[in-house]
Amino acid sequence: AAASLARITQAEHEVILVLGSTCSTDKAIANVLGRSPKTVRRQMDSAMTKLEVNTTTGLVVEALRLGLAELLHDAPRTPLHV
């Protein structure tokens, strides 16, 4: 997974950050980032493949382990209209 770390795109990294801090659905992440849910799903799937994980939970855990994200205990929740 470490070799794949360098291949994570900026867009995939942004999806991982939002997934790990404020949102858990493709639609909610898409709303925050101003992307379509289909694009977010594609970026999540690509990041999961690169980091060799099979679930979104695994994606967040691996991102934390690799330093791509950090736990934000007091992260503000973005009001979403989903």
Side-chain angles (χ1 to χ4, degrees):
S4 300
L5 177 60
R7 294 185 15 226
I8 293 291
T9 67
Q10 181 65 35
E12 292 163 352
H13 189 207
E14 290 166 356
V15 167
I16 292 168
L17 290 175
V18 175
L19 176 65
S21 63
T22 60
C23 302
S24 61
T25 67
D26 300 352
K27 190 172 181 180
I29 295 167
N31 190 40
V32 169
L33 295 175
R35 300 176 190 156
S36 75
K38 187 175 180 179
T39 297
V40 166
R41 170 47 54 193
R42 184 176 41 78
Q43 291 165 336
M44 252 194 290
D45 288 345
S46 178
M48 286 191 290
T49 298
K50 290 175 184 178
L51 296 181
E52 301 172 358
V53 296
N54 298 315
T55 65
T56 54
T57 300
L59 179 59
V60 172
V61 169
E62 189 64 6
L64 290 167
R65 190 182 75 74
L66 294 171
L68 283 172
E70 58 186 53
L71 288 176
L72 302 174
H73 298 288
D74 298 320
R77 300 288 181 188
T78 304
L80 301 173
H81 304 286
V82 292

